Amino acid sequence: MGSNSSRIGDLPKNEYLKKLSGTESVSENDPFWNQLLSFSFPAPTSSTDLKLLEEATISVCRSLVENNPRTGNLGALIKVFLSRTKELKLSAECRNHIFIWQTNNALFIICHLLKVFICEMSEEELQLHFTYEEKSGSYSGDGQQTIGYKDEVQWRDKRKTVGIASIQVMTSKGGHGERDEEKKANGGTLRSVPVVEGHSEEVGTGNEQRERDLTYEISVEAISTMVVFLSCQLYHKEVLRQSISHKYLMRGRCLPYTSKLVKTLLYNFIRQEKPPPPGAHVFPQQSDGGGLLYGLASGVATGLWTVFTLGGVGSKAATTQALSSPLANQSLLLLLVLANLTDAADAPNPYRQAIISFKNTQDNSPFPSSIPHAFQINFNSLYTTLCEQQTSDQATLLLYTLLHQNSNIRTYMLARTDMENLVLPILEILYHVEERNSHHVYMALIILLILTEDDGFNRSIHEVILKNITWYSERVLTEISLGSLLILVVIRTIQYNMTRTRDKYLHTNCLAALANMSAQFRSLHQYAAQRIISLFSLLSKKHNKVLEQATQSLRGSLSSNDVPLPDYAQDLNVIEEVIRMMLEIINSCLATSLHHNPNLVYALLYKRDLFEQFRTHPSFQDIMQNIDLVITFFSSRLLQAGAELSVERVLEIIKQGIVALPKDRLKKFPELKFKYVEEEQPEEFFIPYVWSLVYSSAAGLYWSPQDIQLFTMDSD
């Protein structure tokens, strides 16, 4: 690198990189480091370019892997970076572009080297590269320098110190952590530009924004380094439970930073701050003894603001697009990685503890002494951003994590009077199920299931009236309640699953959400009522088909004992379980909310013949009692009214009949209630999922797909 590097292809021959990776030790005080860190070349802007960078520098990195135990140059580079982090805030305030640029370049090199080191060796071998130090003047009998352990405190913690320094960069007040969001939130939404306390708004805004522009790139690079620091998981098929890097971040000197780091990452996500314009900080060419040429302040990092289009799990999208906020995206990915670290044998994951316990800034109640790593954050701002960002897997996963594990957030969200802002993006994910990966769909569905556990939510969604839902294309919905739309989308998901994926868990959770809502169904839209009965019709036809196949199979087995037969009995059992659940959902609505749902009664009567075969079926006789009663009662009233009845007249008769039908004639059943519970060892699902998101959407990071062991690559 250094002043002579202008293209990625030149890097293998670069004299500074050769010296860094060579056999000669370089002191941290050597002017060489200023030369090495003064580089500028066209930055990678696509996955192809990132791959080229990886390939161009792999020989240099492997040379350093071989020579570093003797030279200690990696440790010297880290010490150069650490010495600079202490002056980073002051440099930002003084607008020392060159210092910040070189510090960012140092972190970029460390991040890139660390990624290769982690890929090339075990954690135990990697640890040696952070603990070895040259013994001055000591040589073996064959003339080779010998290596020994220096002071344990100074050297053993060097790898840990990189993590701490990265955390300090991320959480620095001169960086991009939490600012004045809590105090400056206006009407519950974040100001687009923060105000520095003690200054006028005009002066404070301009100075702080310039400072933040200067440190934006290094903040992203620090987060990327933390992600890479933890990326050893990518190279293991099994979930890591005894990782050395996890241990460093969950204990000792890193532990006091837990709440501050989580809070900073959350505020980075909330702010969705765009990067400064490329080339915003340009330096004149200068000489420094060695004739150093200073280019753009952003150097390599300007090109890191490229992210891969979200695709299937474990795949890089073929096309790329610039992310509106690389800092927010990278922060969210790191937050999810930290939240899903496995607990240590003797201590829980402190980052997960912080995520499940933080409170609203409006909550003045004291934190219980038993809750470690507690902090407060502006819930309104977080809610607003979550609503706006649900197009990405990682934002949906964060929403799931908070709803499931943080009771403060869950209570706050369920009390909102604008839940449609959150629910509609989730429904849109499910509606476009064909375009989403299965994990994203599953998370969206679980979020709905968690929300439907609350009776208040189930009531309120039928009071919210929506107009012109443009993304719903099956039918023009000029006006519909949020509750009816939710029913339509969930039923559509069930039907898609029946014909395509046939995922039992997806079926179960869809039906559980409908069951939770069923007692609170109110004023169902006629189309929603029709779709409920249409789904039952589809299930009925499938039941009859499987039953016929089972009968034919049984006959065939009597004539031939050699041919293995499909297990139709199991298929029949599954479909009958689903049919019973649908009957329970219909029954629950009729038993508790009949007077609110004339359209459902109309749909029942229109398709009454569907239910005839289940009246005497031993699996459904009990649950059919109320449905049969309603069909018989209202059919009789329609018969008395005569033939040739209009739709309006039928609905009028139904509404009159609802008033006349004694409620005590409907049999009471236990309330349908389902609660989402994570399966045992949820990390077996979530850790590969999170890392697949890092792989597919982290800005400026590339891993060779051939090296990934944690998850299976999807074909592009």
Side-chain angles (χ1 to χ4, degrees):
M1 295 195 171
S3 60
N4 294 329
S5 292
S6 58
R7 298 195 313 271
I8 291 178
D10 296 333
L11 294 178
K13 300 175 288 186
N14 181 270
E15 59 180 295
Y16 299 104
L17 289 179
K18 283 185 176 180
K19 184 172 182 178
L20 172 68
S21 61
T23 58
E24 177 187 349
S25 295
V26 183
S27 165
E28 62 266 24
N29 298 317
D30 197 301
F32 160 80
W33 298 110
N34 280 335
Q35 298 169 331
L36 173 70
L37 301 180
S38 301
F39 64 84
S40 174
F41 59 85
T45 57
S46 67
S47 57
T48 301
D49 289 341
L50 286 164
K51 181 180 179 182
L52 288 175
L53 175 62
E54 184 94 356
E55 293 171 346
T57 55
I58 191 65
S59 60
V60 172
C61 294
R62 286 175 176 167
S63 178
L64 184 63
V65 168
E66 180 181 351
N67 294 321
N68 183 68
R70 292 181 291 277
T71 65
N73 285 346
L74 176 61
L77 173 60
I78 291 171
K79 291 178 73 174
V80 169
F81 166 69
L82 295 177
S83 66
R84 285 173 169 268
T85 59
K86 300 173 184 177
E87 303 175 43
L88 191 59
K89 177 173 170 53
L90 180 61
S91 298
E93 292 172 349
C94 298
R95 304 193 68 193
N96 187 340
H97 301 70
I98 294 176
F99 185 91
I100 296 172
W101 171 43
Q102 290 182 327
T103 305
N104 182 75
N105 285 348
L107 189 54
F108 174 81
I109 295 173
I110 291 170
C111 181
H112 188 75
L113 291 174
L114 186 60
K115 185 157 65 70
V116 176
F117 271 54
I118 290 173
C119 178
E120 294 282 319
M121 63 189 71
S122 68
E123 281 198 291
E124 290 73 21
E125 292 173 313
L126 179 61
Q127 191 173 27
L128 296 179
H129 283 270
F130 286 85
T131 56
Y132 280 136
E133 167 69 0
E134 175 189 343
K135 278 188 175 179
S136 175
S138 178
Y139 293 85
S140 63
D142 59 1
Q144 297 293 317
Q145 289 179 313
T146 59
I147 306 301
Y149 288 100
K150 208 173 181 180
D151 180 72
E152 287 287 318
V153 175
Q154 182 178 357
W155 293 104
R156 181 168 291 239
D157 288 345
K158 192 175 294 178
R159 184 181 176 197
K160 185 190 304 182
T161 308
V162 176
I164 293 173
S166 297
I167 293 172
Q168 289 172 334
V169 170
M170 286 184 274
T171 59
S172 167
K173 290 295 183 182
H176 288 254
E178 151 250 344
R179 289 278 181 159
D180 300 298
E181 281 83 354
E182 299 141 349
K183 298 172 184 171
K184 303 297 180 182
N186 184 10
T189 58
L190 289 181
R191 302 176 66 94
S192 57
V193 180
V195 180
V196 178
E197 293 181 319
H199 295 75
S200 69
E201 184 164 338
E202 291 78 10
V203 175
T205 296
N207 286 343
E208 182 167 331
Q209 190 61 46
R210 283 191 292 270
E211 180 182 327
R212 292 172 69 81
D213 284 351
L214 281 172
T215 57
Y216 189 100
E217 296 151 357
I218 198 169
S219 296
V220 176
E221 200 61 57
I223 295 170
S224 297
T225 303
M226 287 288 291
V227 171
V228 168
F229 187 80
L230 295 164
S231 66
C232 53
Q233 177 65 80
L234 283 171
Y235 308 109
H236 295 80
K237 290 184 178 180
E238 304 298 326
V239 169
L240 293 179
R241 302 181 188 278
Q242 301 293 330
S243 170
I244 296 173
S245 57
H246 296 183
K247 178 181 175 182
Y248 285 153
L249 290 180
M250 293 167 64
R251 299 183 182 182
R253 293 167 60 191
C254 288
L255 194 61
Y257 290 94
T258 297
S259 60
K260 190 172 185 181
L261 175 58
V262 171
K263 187 175 184 178
T264 296
L265 295 174
L266 277 171
Y267 269 126
N268 285 347
F269 170 68
I270 289 171
R271 294 174 62 87
Q272 292 292 313
E273 188 174 4
K274 292 178 172 57
H281 310 294
V282 180
F283 299 108
Q285 295 184 356
Q286 300 180 22
S287 60
D288 185 359
L292 300 183
L293 298 176
Y294 293 96
L296 296 180
S298 50
V300 173
T302 301
L304 297 180
W305 314 147
T306 299
V307 70
F308 303 105
T309 304
L310 293 176
V313 172
S315 66
K316 288 282 189 184
T319 58
T320 60
Q321 63 180 13
L323 195 71
S324 61
S325 178
L327 180 61
N329 181 69
Q330 215 85 333
S331 296
L332 178 53
L333 291 171
L334 176 57
L335 184 65
L336 292 172
V337 169
L338 293 172
N340 287 280
L341 296 178
T342 55
D343 293 334
D346 55 349
N349 176 352
Y351 302 99
R352 186 183 300 119
Q353 285 184 313
I355 287 170
I356 68 176
S357 62
F358 69 82
K359 298 194 307 182
N360 194 356
T361 50
Q362 307 300 315
D363 187 348
N364 296 320
S365 61
F367 281 101
S369 57
S370 59
I371 298 181
H373 317 299
F375 65 91
Q376 291 177 289
I377 206 165
N378 188 297
F379 277 15
N380 190 74
S381 302
L382 178 58
Y383 177 82
T384 301
T385 304
L386 283 169
C387 292
E388 294 171 349
Q389 298 298 319
Q390 287 306 304
T391 52
S392 75
D393 281 69
Q394 47 266 41
T396 303
L397 183 52
L398 175 63
L399 175 58
Y400 159 81
T401 302
L402 296 177
L403 271 176
H404 178 53
Q405 299 187 11
N406 189 315
S407 59
N408 300 320
I409 279 282
R410 184 168 59 253
T411 300
Y412 174 84
M413 288 187 175
L414 288 169
R416 295 283 302 205
T417 57
D418 60 348
M419 277 298 290
E420 67 273 15
N421 291 336
L422 184 67
V423 175
L424 283 173
I426 299 300
L427 294 183
E428 195 168 356
I429 293 169
L430 294 175
Y431 186 78
H432 296 294
V433 58
E434 302 93 338
E435 303 168 15
R436 303 290 182 180
N437 71 67
S438 59
H439 289 356
H440 198 186
V441 171
Y442 190 73
M443 287 295 101
L445 184 56
I446 295 303
I447 288 168
L448 287 185
L449 179 55
I450 293 171
L451 293 173
T452 61
E453 292 171 11
D454 183 76
D455 285 340
F457 171 83
N458 295 331
R459 285 190 298 270
S460 65
I461 56 175
H462 292 286
E463 298 168 0
V464 178
I465 304 302
L466 308 169
K467 296 186 178 181
N468 299 318
I469 308 301
T470 55
W471 48 262
Y472 194 94
S473 59
E474 270 90 346
R475 178 166 172 162
V476 176
L477 300 175
T478 55
E479 187 171 288
I480 189 172
S481 71
L482 179 60
S484 289
L485 181 64
L486 196 158
I487 292 168
L488 285 175
V489 173
V490 171
I491 287 176
R492 185 180 185 275
T493 305
I494 293 174
Q495 292 178 324
Y496 175 84
N497 187 49
M498 286 176 63
T499 57
R500 304 285 185 86
T501 56
R502 299 184 180 180
D503 184 334
K504 179 182 177 181
Y505 292 103
L506 197 67
H507 253 28
T508 301
N509 287 292
C510 283
L511 291 168
L514 289 176
N516 283 347
M517 295 189 296
S518 59
Q520 307 292 337
F521 283 172
R522 295 289 189 276
S523 303
L524 289 183
H525 191 280
Q526 61 180 16
Y527 187 51
Q530 290 171 17
R531 298 308 294 165
I532 291 173
I533 305 304
S534 294
L535 175 58
F536 184 81
S537 175
L538 183 64
L539 292 168
S540 177
K541 291 176 183 177
K542 190 173 182 64
H543 176 268
N544 292 339
K545 182 179 179 180
V546 174
L547 187 60
E548 182 181 351
Q549 290 172 331
T551 303
Q552 292 176 351
S553 174
L554 183 60
R555 289 171 183 166
S557 66
L558 297 176
S559 59
S560 175
N561 295 323
D562 299 329
V563 181
L565 299 172
D567 188 1
Y568 289 112
Q570 183 178 356
D571 291 345
L572 196 62
N573 183 57
V574 170
I575 194 67
E576 287 185 353
E577 285 181 3
V578 176
I579 286 175
R580 180 172 179 87
M581 178 71 85
M582 280 302 301
L583 289 172
E584 288 180 340
I585 290 168
I586 295 170
N587 176 74
S588 173
C589 178
L590 296 178
T592 58
S593 306
L594 178 65
H595 55 295
H596 288 299
N597 293 289
N599 284 329
L600 182 61
V601 177
Y602 184 100
L604 269 175
L605 295 174
Y606 190 74
K607 293 284 188 178
R608 71 190 83 177
D609 294 343
L610 282 175
F611 299 89
E612 187 66 31
Q613 63 176 309
F614 299 106
R615 290 178 61 189
T616 57
H617 195 293
S619 298
F620 310 119
Q621 276 183 316
D622 59 331
I623 206 70
M624 276 296 300
Q625 291 180 37
N626 286 340
I627 297 173
D628 190 39
L629 172 64
V630 168
I631 291 175
T632 303
F633 177 83
F634 285 97
S635 295
S636 174
R637 294 181 73 90
L638 290 176
L639 188 61
Q640 293 173 14
E644 303 293 332
L645 299 175
S646 66
V647 173
E648 292 76 14
R649 178 59 181 150
V650 172
L651 280 172
E652 183 182 346
I653 294 170
I654 289 172
K655 291 175 182 178
Q656 292 169 354
I658 287 174
V659 177
L661 177 64
K663 294 182 180 179
D664 57 3
R665 291 185 61 185
L666 294 173
K667 183 180 177 181
K668 299 297 182 184
F669 286 85
E671 186 179 7
L672 289 178
K673 273 297 173 185
F674 293 87
K675 184 176 179 62
Y676 170 71
V677 178
E678 282 186 345
E679 294 188 1
E680 292 185 14
Q681 297 185 319
E683 64 275 8
E684 298 290 342
F685 169 82
F686 285 105
I687 289 178
Y689 181 32
V690 168
W691 278 105
S692 72
L693 296 179
V694 173
Y695 172 83
S696 64
S697 57
L701 290 175
Y702 171 83
W703 287 273
S704 173
Q706 288 77 24
D707 296 327
I708 305 298
Q709 298 293 318
L710 180 61
F711 48 82
T712 304
M713 294 293 169
D714 289 348
S715 58
D716 290 333

